[in-house]
Amino acid sequence: MTTIDRLVGAGVDRIDGPAKVRGTAPYAFEQDPGEPIAHLAVVQSTVNRGRISRLDATRAEAMPGVLAVLTPASAPRLAEGLSSDLPVLQSLDVHYQGQVVAAVVAETSEIAAAAIGAVVVEYAAEEPDVVLSTDRADLYAPEQLMAGFDTDSVIGDVDGALAAAAVTIDATYETPTQHNNPIEMHTSMARWDGDSLTMWDANQGPHNIVNDLAKGFGLDRGQVRIISPYVGGAFGSKAFPHPNQMLAAMAARVVGRTVVFELTRPQMFTLVGHRTPTIQRVRLGADADGRLTAISHEVVEHTSKISEFAEQTATPTRVLYAAENRRTTHRLARLDVPPPTIMRAPGETPGMFALESAMDELASALGIDPVELRIRNEPTEDPERHVPWSSRHLVECLRTGAERFGWAGRDLRPRMRTEGRWLIGTGVASATYPTRRRKAQCRISVDGRGGTAPVRYLVEIDGSDIGTGAWTALSQIAADALGVAMDAVELHIGDSRLPRAGGAGGSTGLASWGSAIVLTARDLRRRLDDEFGGQVPADGVTVDGGIEGEGPHAKTHSMHAFGAHFVEVRVDADSGEVRVPRATSVYDAGTVVNAKTGRSQFIGGFSMGVSMALHEETLTDPRLGHYVNHDLAEYHVATNADIGELDISWLDHPDELANELGLKGIGEIGITGAAAAVANAYWHATGLRVRDLPITPDKYFRELGLT
Amino acid sequence: MREFRYEQPPDVAGAVALVAGAPDGAFLGGGTNLVDLMKLGVATPDLLVDVRELTSREITDLPDGGVRIGAGVPNADLAADRRVRERFSVLAQALLAGASGQLRNRATTGGNLLQRTRCGYFTDVTKPCNKRLPGSGCGALEGVHRNHAILGQTLDGPGTCVATHPSDMAVAMLALDAVVRVLGPDGERAVPLAELHRLPGEDPSRDTTLRHGELITAIDLPPLGFPSRYRKARDRASFAFALVSVAAALRVEDGVVREARLALGGVAHTPWRALTAERALVGGPATEDAFAAAAAEELEAATPLRDNGFKVPLARNLVVRTLADLTEGSR
């Protein structure tokens, strides 16, 4: 075999780029099922809780072009055992506002949209219960948190240590409901052939969609095929099935032809989950030198009446800093809201806002530089599991970032710098996110082509590219592992017929799929060497391989990515408007497989953190129970104009214990801590500590006592 | 979405006749607001008469030094026009502070004036709104209203409405004493912009004083002759409606304000002409204290809601800063 330079680490252009730019990469809505497509539109409940008292679809059914109207009375029965909001149209009960209560299938999307207006629905409704607070009597401790984390952790005597501490901070931070809004709305196109279902679908892992469809329609898993080669962005809402997949499959079965269901933008705010709001009380105790003696992080958040999604908000507090006495707790309220779900770094994103804001408040109270405060509390081992780190370079991130940003000589005092009407400040926060991997299977075939044509390697794995660059990164990994050039690799991902793998989520994609590819490639090379003298036999070779899940060091070591953000904030003294002209982020993320798409991931994560700090908030009407701002004109996401100069870099420290590639995963680390860095800089600029996100201009006047 | 007919008559007179004869008919300009509202079921016209190619897309000089802006002029073209940038910079700045490049390319001058409120209760047909469905109540009064009106609302009764007008352009034009030229079934008339938009009063369903079938054909701007400026505060740097905006023009001589024009956006059901502040300013010193006093006098009438009280100090600050910047610039 030829020896070539290592591709892993290089900034290789996206191999799917040309097709995407030309519009020839088919997203779910653009797939050709080979027959005319019918369109689905849904009627959604206008109350949060109650029961449908009347539902009349007669007029809609009579409209020309309408193929069927599905209601709880007429929709096919799904098998028992589906959870959350997946048993669509199976009951007259309403559990949240926006729940699908009827669906119209029609020849065109326009007819379907017109017909839903002709369906009459009345409800026997009860008052909505949608307001989260810390004094609710019904707060409860879930059995465990998302991703299997313990609900609480208690070590030592936190209250005693707080009472004895030289300096304490006791502050409550709030983050609002937020919604995933990838550019591509969730889309599902279903086609039945007998009892076999094919679905072209926008998701984060085709295999994750199979089970519930198989269960609901009483099929074997092999009778369900999910195809998702290209996905137009995803931050968690596309990780698991939602009503859209069930509805498309149901409707296609009823009308006997392919049906597509593309959510509208407003439906993104009700049908595919959200990030829970949080109320977090953080208490820190430290000695006069700033060494933490106690950390307490108590979280109150919500879930829905029909599902339990317990966001692991305080889990970063279990790993970030040393302290002998520690406590983290999570309590939930079950509200009349749609089921919450994953949104980029669930847990770390809201949790790090609270912890890293509190650290800034502590630094200020102590008169210690906030970078130095973090360095003083660097733990030598995982402070709760008491195992060594697989690798941890947070201090180097902080020091490198401080150098690149120009942190030295910073005045600790707030509201000391102005330029015209701008109040200027700088802030810092750490970043952390767990390094994990999941079970993944892989198949690599090599075709000898009779010994004449160039050797080609077919790499098959049900990985998923949600816009991250996985198509390219996995091709780089495969080429290196096989010792060939990238154009000798033909990668197949995004299809549940391919060898099973977990989805793109939890920053586990490349760690899992990449490791599976590396091990399978090694196996193939070994076989070629051992059995065929290093030559590809004329009729080729196929090898199946993969990984079973976590690596051998996961139990004995604590594995996390780290990072540090440095941010400059400018606040208009007249209006309270906030700008972020520049930021530096340095990451300890192990191997970065593709320097170009990796950088984009870091930029995207950090920008989403700025967006969280300054803009994103879904507003709930407490009396009417609905999400009031349900489109992108009113649910504000940072625009290009809101993101300044970003200086992104990473340390060159592969984590040899984490996985075959030494990578830590980069999809989520960028957003963690970012909002705190902005809020801390805002405080440094203004002297105002806004503890409830987002930091909108009204809060400037509130904190000044002018409202 | 209701099914509708689409017509493209040969001239404006034909367009007016078509809409006048159709009680549920509507004119279509750029469609950047109306089509959204149709998709949401908020607007349900059964006839759309497309006037985008019928109304003038020209900006012409008037003999007195003013300009006439055809109703079909795209917002982007208006903002880029040299005469507008030089003589009416407040207008160019307001246009560029609004929407996005794509929307400004599409949106027309006439249509911009007739944008409907972005109140979340107005745009959601499942929720109460006296503007959309008279008598159904005002969802915003006790609901989500951080970006609602602080002046001129109707705070009780069947007309309750706390919505704001979303246009930036209209605020600048109001400060410029614009006159709207209207063609209706009974002929042409000229409406001062200050009389085009109306406060909710007893009937928030009516945004303007236009009668059904009347079409805006042009907007006249009289000459200004002194510096002007637009300042908009918003939740993000681009593509957000105003929290508060200020359109101002100031003629200062020897440290004394000789002429003042001041209008506020984001504070009321209409673009809000700050006549009280203008009267307070004229003849007084061009100082920040005087500006603050004038702003305070104007805002005495404010009746903020539970969550939008910040608009009062915000409006005051923006007025002071904008007038101070104008004074600085004229030195």
Side-chain angles (χ1 to χ4, degrees):
Chain A
M1 288 191 191
T2 49
T3 306
I4 56 159
D5 290 333
R6 208 168 103 103
L7 287 160
V8 167
V12 178
D13 287 348
R14 287 172 189 263
I15 59 174
D16 48 331
K20 284 183 173 172
V21 169
R22 293 185 182 112
T24 58
Y27 292 83
F29 190 84
E30 301 161 332
Q31 294 277 1
D32 179 4
E35 63 175 12
I37 302 168
H39 294 258
L40 185 141
V42 296
V43 182
Q44 297 179 272
S45 76
T46 55
V47 302
N48 294 59
R49 183 164 33 141
R51 196 168 163 83
I52 298 167
S53 55
R54 174 170 170 245
L55 201 163
D56 182 357
T58 324
R59 262 197 327 126
E61 282 165 340
M63 289 170 72
V66 169
L67 300 170
V69 180
L70 279 60
T71 69
S74 70
R77 293 300 92 189
L78 297 169
E80 295 290 315
L82 293 171
S83 60
S84 189
D85 57 353
L86 294 183
V88 191
L89 300 175
Q90 302 298 295
S91 149
L92 294 172
D93 293 331
V94 172
H95 303 286
Y96 62 89
Q97 190 158 177
Q99 178 180 319
V100 174
V101 294
V104 173
V105 194
E107 292 287 352
T108 68
S109 59
E110 289 83 1
I111 295 171
I116 57 170
V119 178
V120 178
V121 191
E122 291 171 11
Y123 305 89
E126 295 168 56
E127 289 289 304
D129 178 12
V130 293
V131 179
L132 183 67
S133 73
T134 52
D135 54 10
R136 290 182 65 104
D138 59 352
L139 295 176
Y140 73 98
E143 290 260 316
Q144 62 171 24
L145 306 175
M146 244 278 290
F149 288 101
D150 290 339
T151 302
D152 296 348
S153 69
V154 179
I155 295 170
D157 174 14
V158 171
D159 294 330
L162 285 169
V167 179
T168 57
I169 294 295
D170 181 352
T172 298
Y173 305 89
E174 295 182 35
T175 61
T177 301
Q178 297 175 331
H179 276 88
N180 286 282
N181 270 293
I183 292 292
E184 181 200 32
M185 275 83 78
H186 290 226
T187 302
S188 304
M189 184 191 291
R191 176 191 162 128
W192 288 89
D193 294 281
D195 278 338
S196 288
L197 172 65
T198 303
M199 185 176 287
W200 295 268
D201 182 62
N203 61 67
Q204 294 175 222
H207 267 95
N208 293 353
I209 309 300
V210 170
N211 276 1
D212 286 312
L213 285 167
K215 191 190 286 177
F217 290 90
L219 308 171
D220 293 332
R221 290 214 303 244
Q223 289 171 289
V224 179
R225 182 179 183 187
I226 306 292
I227 303 173
S228 318
Y230 301 103
V231 177
F235 305 102
S237 66
K238 291 175 181 168
F240 304 126
H242 293 288
N244 48 294
Q245 285 99 348
M246 309 310 290
L247 277 163
M250 211 182 249
R253 182 143 254 197
V254 168
V255 300
R257 68 188 238 207
T258 298
V259 170
V260 68
F261 178 29
E262 180 190 40
L263 266 63
T264 64
R265 183 60 66 181
Q267 286 166 354
M268 292 293 293
F269 289 79
T270 45
L271 291 178
V272 294
H274 60 272
R275 193 199 295 282
T276 174
T278 68
I279 306 171
Q280 306 176 53
R281 183 179 182 190
V282 179
R283 279 174 282 181
L284 302 176
D287 66 21
D289 293 332
R291 286 187 178 76
L292 288 166
T293 53
I295 305 175
S296 172
H297 190 166
E298 296 158 292
V299 179
V300 171
E301 50 200 11
H302 81 206
T303 188
S304 72
K305 289 268 169 67
I306 50 168
S307 71
E308 183 177 274
F309 182 92
E311 181 139 346
Q312 65 272 38
T313 301
T315 55
T317 301
R318 296 175 185 170
V319 299
L320 205 50
Y321 299 116
E324 267 191 31
N325 305 287
R326 336 174 47 96
R327 173 171 61 212
T328 59
T329 65
H330 298 79
R331 298 294 177 266
L332 300 184
R334 284 194 186 278
L335 303 183
D336 299 324
V337 296
T341 194
I342 299 168
M343 183 165 166
R344 206 169 198 167
E348 281 76 13
T349 295
M352 289 287 280
F353 165 65
L355 176 65
E356 287 296 278
S357 294
M359 285 296 280
D360 200 64
E361 298 205 43
L362 180 63
S364 166
L366 286 158
I368 295 176
D369 176 84
V371 173
E372 176 59 27
L373 178 68
R374 287 168 172 82
I375 291 171
R376 280 186 199 174
N377 289 288
E378 174 73 3
T380 54
E381 60 171 15
D382 184 308
E384 303 214 354
R385 288 176 61 204
H386 298 295
V387 294
W389 307 104
S390 59
S391 69
R392 172 166 167 142
H393 305 283
L394 174 58
V395 171
E396 190 178 343
C397 290
L398 286 161
R399 292 207 163 114
T400 307
E403 176 72 29
R404 295 179 70 103
F405 184 78
W407 185 261
R410 173 182 180 269
D411 190 336
L412 291 177
R413 296 169 298 167
R415 208 180 167 112
M416 298 300 291
R417 294 140 301 274
T418 59
E419 194 178 301
R421 301 298 298 168
W422 291 108
L423 311 175
I424 303 169
T426 52
V428 63
S430 300
T432 188
Y433 191 80
T435 297
R436 291 177 295 231
R437 71 179 200 188
R438 299 190 177 118
K439 180 172 178 160
Q441 294 163 350
C442 175
R443 180 181 303 126
I444 304 182
S445 313
V446 59
D447 175 4
R449 302 200 180 182
T452 52
V455 175
R456 302 263 310 156
Y457 294 83
L458 176 63
V459 177
E460 298 176 284
I461 183 166
D462 188 23
S464 194
D465 190 325
I466 54 176
T468 52
W471 272 110
T472 313
L474 292 177
S475 298
Q476 291 171 258
I477 290 169
D480 272 4
L482 291 163
V484 300
M486 256 176 75
D487 58 10
V489 173
E490 183 179 333
L491 178 70
H492 287 195
I493 59 173
D495 186 336
S496 66
R497 285 276 167 88
L498 296 168
R500 182 177 187 135
S507 297
T508 63
L510 289 195
S512 312
W513 315 323
S515 295
I517 289 172
V518 167
L519 291 174
T520 309
R522 273 187 207 156
D523 205 22
L524 175 68
R525 291 178 76 167
R526 197 179 307 121
R527 277 195 58 190
L528 289 176
D529 286 344
D530 293 354
E531 298 172 28
F532 303 100
Q535 298 300 309
V536 177
D539 52 354
V541 178
T542 295
V543 169
D544 285 284
I547 57 168
E548 281 308 307
E550 292 293 5
H553 306 289
K555 283 219 157 51
T556 55
H557 290 74
S558 186
M559 300 186 180
H560 299 266
F562 296 94
H565 305 292
F566 294 80
V567 173
E568 178 181 317
V569 157
R570 294 180 172 226
V571 181
D572 186 296
D574 296 309
S575 67
E577 293 172 287
V578 187
R579 297 287 180 266
V580 181
R582 69 185 183 104
T584 290
S585 298
V586 180
Y587 297 101
D588 162 26
T591 303
V592 172
V593 173
N594 185 315
K596 193 172 186 180
T597 58
R599 186 181 143 76
S600 294
Q601 287 272 71
F602 291 133
I603 291 173
F606 179 81
S607 299
M608 207 161 165
V610 173
S611 192
M612 172 190 181
L614 302 180
H615 309 301
E616 292 190 43
E617 176 177 27
T618 311
L619 299 158
T620 305
D621 185 304
R623 296 167 312 130
L624 302 173
H626 69 301
Y627 295 132
V628 179
N629 54 336
H630 45 235
D631 60 42
L632 291 181
E634 300 296 333
Y635 180 89
H636 288 168
V637 175
T639 65
N640 275 338
D642 291 292
I643 304 300
E645 190 73 23
L646 302 187
D647 164 36
I648 305 276
S649 63
W650 51 89
L651 306 177
D652 184 20
H653 297 312
D655 187 331
E656 306 295 349
L657 299 181
N659 48 57
E660 271 56 32
L661 290 143
L663 63 86
K664 294 188 176 189
I666 57 172
E668 284 152 292
I669 182 75
I671 190 175
T672 72
V678 174
N680 294 342
Y682 181 93
W683 169 81
H684 193 234
T686 61
L688 308 174
R689 184 68 71 174
V690 176
R691 299 186 181 89
D692 55 328
L693 297 183
I695 307 173
T696 43
D698 51 309
K699 291 174 184 169
Y700 175 76
F701 294 97
R702 182 192 72 193
E703 295 300 318
L704 288 174
L706 294 174
T707 58
Chain B
M1 189 166 172
R2 184 178 180 185
E3 277 197 39
F4 60 90
R5 238 164 10 103
Y6 173 86
E7 298 280 354
Q8 234 180 338
D11 53 33
V12 285
V16 166
L18 273 171
V19 172
D24 284 354
F27 297 111
L28 176 70
T32 57
N33 185 211
L34 177 60
V35 174
D36 279 354
L37 294 176
M38 289 169 66
K39 288 180 185 169
L40 294 168
V42 174
T44 53
D46 61 358
L47 167 69
L48 283 187
V49 178
D50 192 340
V51 296
R52 191 173 153 84
E53 302 299 327
L54 303 184
T55 51
S56 167
R57 302 182 76 156
E58 302 284 311
I59 302 167
T60 48
D61 282 299
L62 294 173
D64 62 359
V67 293
R68 172 163 299 171
I69 304 158
V73 173
N75 288 181
D77 291 9
L78 184 56
D81 186 85
R82 188 178 47 79
R83 291 158 292 183
V84 170
R85 282 188 289 131
E86 287 175 3
R87 296 183 221 162
F88 308 102
S89 51
V90 63
L91 177 56
Q93 290 170 17
L95 284 158
L96 293 176
S100 65
Q102 295 92 328
L103 287 167
R104 293 195 293 270
N105 285 339
R106 183 74 200 167
T108 63
T109 305
N112 187 317
L113 289 177
L114 301 180
Q115 287 183 77
R116 308 216 67 193
T117 185
R118 260 53 176 199
C119 172
Y121 298 86
F122 173 71
T123 57
D124 185 342
V125 295
T126 70
K127 297 297 170 285
C129 171
N130 288 326
K131 178 181 284 297
R132 178 174 33 75
L133 187 64
S136 61
C138 173
L141 183 69
E142 301 292 335
V144 172
H145 60 226
R146 184 182 69 104
N147 200 13
H148 282 63
I150 55 170
L151 286 160
Q153 320 104 312
T154 300
L155 293 172
D156 51 39
T160 299
C161 180
V162 296
T164 58
H165 195 269
S167 172
D168 290 298
M169 184 195 81
V171 182
M173 285 186 171
L174 183 62
L176 292 170
D177 283 337
V179 175
V180 181
R181 305 188 67 81
V182 173
L183 180 68
D186 305 325
E188 265 197 287
R189 65 186 183 113
V191 184
L193 184 58
E195 293 167 23
L196 179 74
H197 297 106
R198 57 183 295 285
L199 291 174
E202 293 296 305
D203 182 8
S205 71
R206 289 174 56 226
D207 293 351
T208 71
T209 55
L210 291 182
R211 297 186 281 266
H212 183 71
E214 285 191 321
L215 174 68
I216 295 175
T217 55
I219 292 95
D220 288 350
L221 299 183
L224 179 64
F226 47 94
S228 66
R229 195 177 180 96
Y230 192 72
R231 173 70 195 275
K232 175 180 182 178
R234 45 183 153 174
D235 280 331
R236 59 182 170 185
S238 168
F239 196 46
F241 295 100
L243 297 169
V244 174
S245 67
V246 171
L250 208 59
R251 187 162 70 81
V252 178
E253 280 173 12
D254 304 326
V256 175
V257 175
R258 297 298 175 193
E259 287 186 74
R261 307 279 189 80
L262 191 63
L264 304 177
V267 296
H269 193 259
T270 65
W272 184 269
R273 184 71 181 260
L275 291 171
T276 306
E278 288 182 11
R279 277 192 294 270
L281 288 166
V282 173
T287 61
E288 290 201 12
D289 285 349
F291 300 154
E297 213 174 308
E298 184 70 40
L299 292 164
E300 254 174 48
T303 49
L305 310 172
R306 185 192 64 228
D307 292 331
N308 71 355
F310 74 99
K311 287 193 173 189
V312 176
L314 173 57
R316 182 196 61 216
N317 285 359
L318 291 188
V319 166
V320 172
R321 190 55 43 209
T322 308
L323 295 177
D325 287 346
L326 281 168
T327 307
E328 184 103 343
S330 65
R331 271 196 194 121

